[in-house]
């Protein structure tokens, strides 16, 4: 049954010259069928470079939107249009304009986990794997970091020469990891280093041994000589961690962090959009052209 589903997806992919991109937070079976699996930065680069006619993006809304902004001539399909990132909307309207009036040299640095409308008001995008590098490279002294307060604070600590203004947004999945739960895992596995995503709250980061994006956590676990780890990020990464390191053990805090939006992507829905062409991402041209500027600036600054 599952094999039949997979065979039909493969056949349609070839027929329609389509590729499947999947974030590490999707389920293992979705990651297994994808052509490209990665963190937000890697997937944005793949979306920009790929030569397929159709991109099926197994992720959340802002990812499909960014793929379309970077590739106006390609068809971008999302397996489930209701898969949305709550944090992507978390900026109070008017706050950007108010801060631009207060600080004439302000740079609005926008985590890629944001709506196209927010990107349109921003100077540069970042992801968790390039945010420190990009903020450090900016000439501006005053930075408004949107929407994630936790990633913004992490960046501010790494780049103390800048005045980073934080915004009141957060990822509900990472913010829910509690210190109590982490301390319980540390007590149970005292030799295990703690690898955390900077979307976690400050007290989690303070008790961690390594901080990095999803891809950086996966790379760290692979090269580390430790044989067990406590992982503070979404539990979809376990699929890659286990595949790369069959002899190592990975522990997640209770209750396991799970992004229900990412998990809306299923094999059945991937097959459905490949069959029907439904769930196409449409971005109006005015929005696309403006939102492209901070995305391209990110790609350029991350390269240099
Ligand atoms: P990265 O893909 O940059 O690690 O971000 C994690 C995330 O929350 C994506 O939604
Ligand atoms: Fe958004 Fe958090 Fe889910 Fe990522 S894990 S899509 S930041 S809610």
């Amino acid at each position: 049954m599952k094999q039949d589903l997979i065979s039909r997806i493969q056949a349609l992919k070839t027929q329609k010259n389509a590729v499947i991109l999947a974030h590490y937070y999707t389920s293992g079976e979705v990651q297994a069928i994808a052509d490209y699996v990665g963190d937000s930065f890697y997937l944005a680069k793949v979306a920009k470079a790929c030569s397929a006619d159709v991109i099926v993006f197994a992720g959340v809304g802002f990812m499909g939107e960014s793929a379309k902004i970077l590739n106006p001539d390609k068809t971008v399909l999302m397996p489930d249009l209701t898969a949305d990132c709550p944090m992507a909307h978390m900026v109070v309207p008017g706050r950007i304009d108010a801060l631009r009036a207060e600080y004439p040299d302000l740079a609005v640095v926008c985590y890629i986990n944001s709506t196209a409308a927010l990107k349109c008001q921003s100077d540069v995008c970042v992801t968790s794997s390039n945010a420190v590098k990009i903020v450090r490279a900016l000439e501006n002294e005053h930075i408004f970091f949107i929407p994630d307060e936790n990633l913004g604070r992490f960046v501010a600590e790494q780049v103390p020469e800048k005045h980073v203004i934080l915004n009141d947004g957060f990822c509900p999945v990472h913010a829910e990891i509690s210190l109590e739960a982490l301390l319980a895992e540390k007590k149970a596995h005292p030799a295990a280093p703690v690898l955390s995503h900077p979307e976690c709250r400050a007290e989690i980061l303070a008790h961690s041994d390594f901080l990095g994006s999803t891809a950086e956590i996966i790379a760290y676990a692979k090269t580390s000589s430790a044989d067990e780890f406590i992982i503070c990020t979404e539990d979809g990464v376990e699929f890659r961690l286990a595949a790369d390191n069959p002899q190592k053990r990975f522990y997640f805090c209770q209750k396991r962090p799970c992004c229900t939006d990412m998990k809306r992507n299923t094999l059945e829905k991937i097959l459905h959009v490949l069959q029907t062409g439904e769930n196409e991402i449409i971005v109006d041209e005015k929005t696309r052209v403006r939102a492209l500027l901070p995305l391209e600036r990110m790609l350029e600054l991350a390269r240099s």
Side-chain angles (χ1 to χ4, degrees), residues 23 25 39-40 62-63 111 113 128 197 199 213-214 262:
H23 192 273
Y25 294 168
D39 68 358
S40 308
F62 73 82
M63 295 180 175
Y111 192 21
N113 301 34
S128 56
H197 196 285
E199 286 177 18
S213 75
T214 312
M262 288 283 191

Side-chain angles (χ1 to χ4, degrees), residues 240-299:
R240 184 79 261 148
L241 289 169
D244 286 354
N245 313 280
Q247 75 293 3
K248 298 183 181 178
R249 286 182 304 282
F250 299 97
Y251 309 109
F252 288 80
C253 295
Q254 295 307 319
K255 65 183 212 301
R256 284 168 70 95
C258 176
C259 178
T260 49
D261 283 281
M262 288 283 191
K263 300 296 194 281
R264 286 184 202 280
N265 295 284
T266 62
L267 294 184
E268 289 78 3
K269 291 176 192 172
I270 290 173
L271 177 64
H272 182 77
V273 295
L274 277 169
Q275 281 170 330
T276 61
E278 283 176 13
N279 294 359
E280 184 174 353
I281 299 290
I282 309 285
V283 180
D284 73 82
E285 190 57 9
K286 191 165 166 239
T287 301
R288 193 194 71 77
V289 169
R290 177 60 185 88
L292 181 63
L293 300 178
L295 279 169
E296 291 217 305
R297 196 159 175 221
M298 170 184 80
L299 295 170

